[in-house]
């Protein structure tokens, strides 16, 4: 019995070491910026490539166009902690864009686009919402460094 | 056609609301893959340690059994009963008559966060505390002692009620509307008081919170004596040995395990893809969620029974199936409790400032009784890493406690350590399975509805 005991404990130690290795691996394998555009609702600014290289190339952008019938699939903008992000919203309906957690709000409506600039200093998953209608129009995910 | 009609009625009864947000929101990111793998690895490692150590352990050790006389305990409990009744009335009143806004009203945050999670934790520490403080019991007894009727309510009533509670919390979409909380509690109060007149065992096996906290309370090392004057310190195992298990006890464990897991499943893109593939659309998502919640306990129930079946075969059929199934069911309590904490504990921290604010202004009428009304503005955020470690930590701790509990049960059931250890192969596999599944669910991408 002593033998099997030693074997079990040895396997346990090995698995535990493997687990510790995983915990210590670089905190985040996520790509730095993955705003995922799907055609009609949203595009990233990076696709509107300007000929002059921007001095701050690490600003992640999410562009949201809200149609009058509110049929849009919420897109996710993924950034790393400390990066800069910009959320641009145009809307066919008048409302208020609210970024949860960061508690940033701005009025939006036909002819009045909203732009929220922020430094992603809080980690987590934050909803971008049309406040009055309670409609989620996007997600900001900030991963730890 | 009838499906459409059903959908229409359903939508009419339960209109979608603006998603509950603002107060006590934990901005949870899905757990990254390598955290999930590491958590699962720790669970597997612990299981192997357990196997290794069981071989060396000759007996289950000393039995803890002490009675500590606490003269002032009964006065404290009397005060506690009055406080419990007052808090119940306050929650109903604020929910029903206060501002119908989650961020201004005492009722939703108090009930869903501090009462449900808080009392689960208290019950795990002092096993029968709820039985001593149950405000419905107090009210029922205050209106005349119930006579013996000789009738027993089935424990399945408690299981169905618990499913109902999870439905209200996870599926209804109205759980954080103060008036829902107030009215649901008012309706339930009637139920919880009146039924004690019909069934002798209502406050142990019928009333939802008695069943729930009684179940979690089986974990506790401390109980209050019947005459309310002493604390009894004892091994949880002794309590579970004395208690009779039933199939519904297993049902309760399964619903508890499933409730926490369905919470993360239904937010995942995975679930969303499934129900869309099955033809559910916006207005019928709630039907899909309802079905999902009802079906979710089945895999837990089935996997447990399968593990017990394998264990019985492995041990040469020395015990009948029912005995084994009933005896090991208590090892699921720490797991169910741990999952609940994994999903909700960070909420108790994040919601703390707003709870302080609600105490000063419970109805949301602009009062400031204790000068804490402004605390709601405090934006307490937990970082993603803190949330991940809380989630994984509780799940792995639950796994360890479950493995340990099952081991203790096995040591009492089987003649020697070798046999007891052998019996634990299927149980360890089951618990690793539960743990990996739960961690995996937490790592799923979250959908926006």
């Amino acid at each position: 019995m002593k033998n099997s005991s030693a074997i079990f404990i040895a396997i346990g130690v090995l698995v535990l070491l493997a687990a510790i290795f995983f915990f210590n691996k670089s905190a985040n394998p996520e790509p730095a910026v993955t705003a995922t555009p799907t055609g009609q609702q949203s595009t990233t600014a990076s696709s509107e490539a300007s000929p002059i290289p921007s001095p701050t190339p690490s600003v992640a952008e999410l562009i949201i166009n809200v149609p009058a019938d509110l049929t849009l699939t919420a897109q996710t903008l993924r950034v790393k902690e400390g990066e800069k992000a910009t959320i641009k919203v145009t809307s066919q309906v008048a409302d208020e864009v609210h970024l949860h957690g960061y508690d940033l709000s701005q009025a939006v409506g036909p002819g009045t686009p909203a732009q929220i600039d922020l430094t992603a200093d809080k980690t987590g998953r934050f909803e971008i919402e049309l406040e009055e209608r309670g409609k989620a129009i996007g997600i900001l995910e900030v991963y730890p460094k | 056609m009838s499906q459409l009609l059903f959908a229409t009625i359903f939508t009419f009864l339960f209109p979608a609301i603006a998603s509950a947000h603002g107060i006590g929101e934990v901005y949870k990111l899905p757990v990254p893959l390598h955290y999930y793998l590491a958590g699962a690895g720790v669970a597997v490692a612990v299981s192997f340690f357990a196997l290794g150590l069981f071989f060396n352990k000759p007996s289950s050790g000393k039995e803890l059994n002490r009675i500590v006389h606490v003269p002032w305990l009964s006065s404290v409990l009397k005060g506690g009963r009055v406080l419990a009744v007052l808090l119940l009335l306050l929650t109903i009143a604020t929910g029903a008559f206060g501002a119908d806004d989650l961020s201004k009203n005492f009722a939703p945050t108090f009930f869903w966060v501090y009462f449900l999670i808080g009392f689960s934790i208290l019950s795990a520490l002092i096993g029968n505390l709820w039985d001593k403080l149950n405000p419905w019991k107090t009210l029922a007894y205050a209106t005349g002692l119930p006579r013996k009727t000789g009738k027993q309510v089935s424990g399945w009533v408690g299981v169905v009620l618990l499913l109902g509670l999870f439905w209200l919390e996870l599926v209804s979409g109205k759980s954080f509307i103060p008036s829902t909380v107030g009215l649901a509690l008012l309706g339930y109060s009637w139920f919880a008081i009146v039924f004690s007149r019909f069934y002798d065992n209502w406050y142990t096996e019928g009333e939802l919170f008695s069943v729930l906290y009684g179940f979690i309370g089986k974990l506790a090392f401390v109980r209050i004596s019947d005459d309310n004057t002493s604390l009894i310190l004892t091994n949880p195992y002794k309590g579970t040995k004395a208690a009779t298990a039933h199939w519904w006890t297993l049902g309760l464990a399964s619903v508890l395990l499933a409730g926490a897991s369905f919470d993360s499943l239904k937010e995942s893109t995975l679930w969303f893809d499934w129900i869309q593939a099955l033809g559910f659309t916006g207005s019928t998502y709630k039907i899909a969620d309802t079905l999902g919640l009802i079906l979710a306990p089945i895999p837990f129930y089935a996997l447990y029974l399968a593990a017990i079946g394998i264990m019985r075969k492995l041990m040469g059929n020395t015990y009948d199936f029912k005995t084994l199934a009933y005896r090991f069911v208590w090892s699921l309590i720490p797991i169910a409790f741990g999952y609940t904490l994994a999903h909700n504990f960070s909420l108790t921290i994040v919601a703390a400032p707003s709870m302080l604010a609600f105490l000063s202004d419970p109805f949301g009428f602009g009062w400031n009784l204790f000068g804490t009304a402004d605390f709601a503005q405090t934006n307490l955020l937990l970082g993603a890493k803190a949330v991940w470690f809380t989630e994984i930590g509780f799940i792995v701790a639950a796994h360890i406690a479950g493995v340990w509990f099952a081991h203790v049960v096995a040591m009492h059931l089987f003649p020697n350590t070798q046999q007891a250890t052998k019996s634990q192969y299927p149980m360890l596999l089951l618990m690793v399975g539960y743990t990996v599944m739960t961690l995996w669910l937490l790592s799923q991408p979250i959908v926006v509805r």
Side-chain angles (χ1 to χ4, degrees):
Chain A
M1 280 307 100
K2 281 275 142 65
N3 268 340
S4 20
S5 183
I7 291 170
F8 281 133
I9 290 181
I11 296 176
V13 170
L14 283 179
V15 178
L16 197 62
L17 286 176
I20 291 168
F21 170 74
F22 271 117
F23 268 125
N24 283 339
K25 249 181 71 176
S26 70
N28 180 20
E30 301 286 332
V33 182
T34 47
T36 39
T38 42
Q40 71 272 45
Q41 289 110 9
S42 154
T43 49
T44 50
S46 49
S47 59
E48 303 159 6
S50 63
I52 308 140
S54 162
T56 50
S58 63
V59 178
E61 267 197 0
L62 180 65
I63 297 186
I64 305 166
N65 301 315
V66 183
D69 58 359
L70 299 179
T71 51
L72 82 168
T73 324
Q75 305 294 318
T76 303
L77 176 67
R78 292 193 178 89
V79 298
K80 271 194 184 181
E81 190 182 354
E83 286 177 351
K84 286 188 173 15
T86 296
I87 298 155
K88 292 180 176 169
V89 182
T90 60
S91 173
Q92 299 305 308
V93 295
D95 207 306
E96 191 187 39
V97 179
H98 178 219
L99 173 63
H100 285 221
Y102 286 77
D103 257 335
L104 297 168
S105 298
Q106 222 177 84
V108 74
T112 14
Q115 176 168 347
I116 296 178
D117 298 302
L118 64 124
T119 305
D121 51 3
K122 298 169 194 164
T123 54
R125 185 176 180 277
F126 307 96
E127 218 168 82
I128 304 158
E129 188 187 47
L130 285 187
E131 188 68 2
E132 280 160 36
R133 288 174 174 77
K135 166 86 183 163
I137 55 173
I139 298 291
L140 171 70
E141 287 189 356
V142 182
Y143 283 83
K145 263 183 246 174
Chain B
M1 196 60 216
S2 65
Q3 196 195 351
L4 184 71
L5 185 71
F6 186 53
T8 317
I9 293 171
F10 223 87
T11 330
F12 175 73
L13 285 174
F14 312 107
I17 57 143
S19 59
H21 63 266
I23 288 305
E25 194 174 358
V26 181
Y27 302 99
K28 280 184 185 174
L29 280 171
V31 170
L33 182 69
H34 61 289
Y35 275 67
Y36 149 56
L37 289 175
V42 171
V44 172
V46 164
S47 309
F48 275 105
F49 284 138
L51 278 179
L53 294 173
F54 290 174
F55 272 110
N56 290 328
K57 209 164 176 227
S59 80
S60 58
K62 274 176 288 179
E63 295 250 320
L64 179 68
N65 205 354
R66 272 182 64 195
I67 293 176
V68 183
H69 187 65
V70 188
W72 39 266
L73 186 63
S74 73
S75 331
V76 170
L77 288 176
K78 258 182 211 144
R81 272 193 286 274
V82 173
L83 184 67
V85 170
L86 289 178
L87 281 173
L88 172 66
L89 297 178
L90 179 66
T91 313
I92 293 174
T94 50
F97 305 114
D100 218 10
D101 178 347
L102 165 69
S103 62
K104 291 183 181 152
N105 197 305
F106 170 82
T109 306
F110 175 71
F111 178 76
W112 292 111
V113 183
Y114 291 95
F115 171 64
L116 265 187
I117 301 164
F119 227 101
S120 299
I121 297 172
L122 283 178
S123 299
L125 297 173
I126 305 176
N128 54 350
L129 188 64
W130 173 253
D131 186 51
K132 301 291 181 191
L133 299 181
N134 188 340
W136 294 299
K137 195 174 172 181
T138 308
L139 289 171
Y141 280 50
T143 51
L145 278 178
R147 280 176 293 127
K148 283 260 177 269
T149 62
K151 276 197 243 161
Q152 304 286 311
V153 68
S154 159
W156 287 105
V157 171
V159 178
V160 171
L161 285 173
L162 183 62
L163 259 181
L165 182 75
F166 277 138
W167 185 87
L168 187 67
E169 180 190 1
L170 304 173
V171 180
S172 75
K174 294 184 125 192
S175 55
F176 277 88
I177 300 179
S179 54
T180 307
V181 175
L183 296 177
L185 264 181
L186 183 64
Y188 182 71
S189 295
W190 177 84
F191 189 69
I193 293 169
V194 169
F195 272 56
S196 67
R197 294 286 188 265
F198 297 109
Y199 300 106
D200 293 343
N201 63 342
W202 178 246
Y203 289 123
T204 50
E205 292 180 351
E207 194 270 306
L208 167 61
F209 300 99
S210 304
V211 173
L212 177 64
Y213 297 137
F215 184 69
I216 295 172
K218 290 277 184 294
L219 268 183
F221 280 89
V222 180
R223 296 181 68 78
I224 299 167
S225 65
D226 287 344
D227 61 0
N228 295 341
T229 58
S230 352
L231 294 174
I232 305 170
L233 281 73
T234 179
N235 283 335
Y237 174 73
K238 277 185 83 181
T240 61
K241 204 176 157 194
T244 20
H246 304 270
W247 292 119
W248 63 258
T249 319
L250 183 49
L252 191 71
S254 308
V255 169
L256 263 181
L257 287 168
S261 306
F262 185 71
D263 186 12
S264 31
L265 176 64
K266 90 170 179 36
E267 286 177 352
S268 69
T269 49
L270 184 80
W271 173 251
F272 199 66
D273 292 344
W274 285 350
I275 62 176
Q276 280 198 325
L278 288 171
F280 290 100
T281 52
S283 56
T284 55
Y285 284 156
K286 275 198 180 116
I287 301 175
D289 287 350
T290 305
L291 291 175
L293 179 66
I294 293 171
L295 296 177
I298 294 174
F300 289 97
Y301 205 98
L303 283 175
Y304 176 76
L305 292 181
I308 292 294
I310 296 169
M311 185 200 294
R312 184 164 171 265
K313 273 267 158 60
L314 207 63
M315 303 312 290
N317 301 337
T318 39
Y319 284 97
D320 63 286
F321 190 76
K322 203 171 140 185
T323 308
L324 288 179
Y326 281 10
R327 208 48 89 70
F328 280 99
V329 71
W330 308 112
S331 63
L332 299 182
I333 312 172
I335 304 188
F337 177 58
Y339 288 4
T340 310
L341 290 186
H343 282 263
N344 299 313
F345 188 74
S346 31
L347 199 55
T348 62
I349 297 171
V350 174
S354 46
M355 199 63 231
L356 287 173
F358 293 146
L359 287 176
S360 274
D361 185 17
F363 289 88
F365 290 164
W367 302 349
N368 199 351
L369 299 177
F370 307 108
T372 55
D374 298 332
F375 282 35
Q377 313 298 328
T378 316
N379 218 342
L380 189 59
L381 287 181
L382 280 182
K385 272 187 180 169
V387 176
W388 291 335
F389 277 107
T390 312
E391 291 178 330
I392 296 174
F394 276 118
I395 288 172
V396 172
H399 177 88
I400 296 171
V403 166
W404 172 78
F405 212 109
H407 157 68
V408 174
V409 175
M411 293 299 259
H412 281 84
L413 276 181
F414 299 106
N416 53 46
T417 46
Q418 197 189 337
Q419 290 274 307
T421 305
K422 195 171 154 197
S423 77
Q424 290 310 288
Y425 296 154
M427 285 308 277
L428 286 174
L429 211 60
L430 173 78
M431 287 178 188
V432 168
Y434 281 174
T435 301
V436 171
M437 186 170 80
T438 310
L439 287 171
W440 176 75
L441 280 173
L442 284 175
S443 74
Q444 290 303 301
I446 299 166
V447 80
V448 187
R449 292 201 190 176

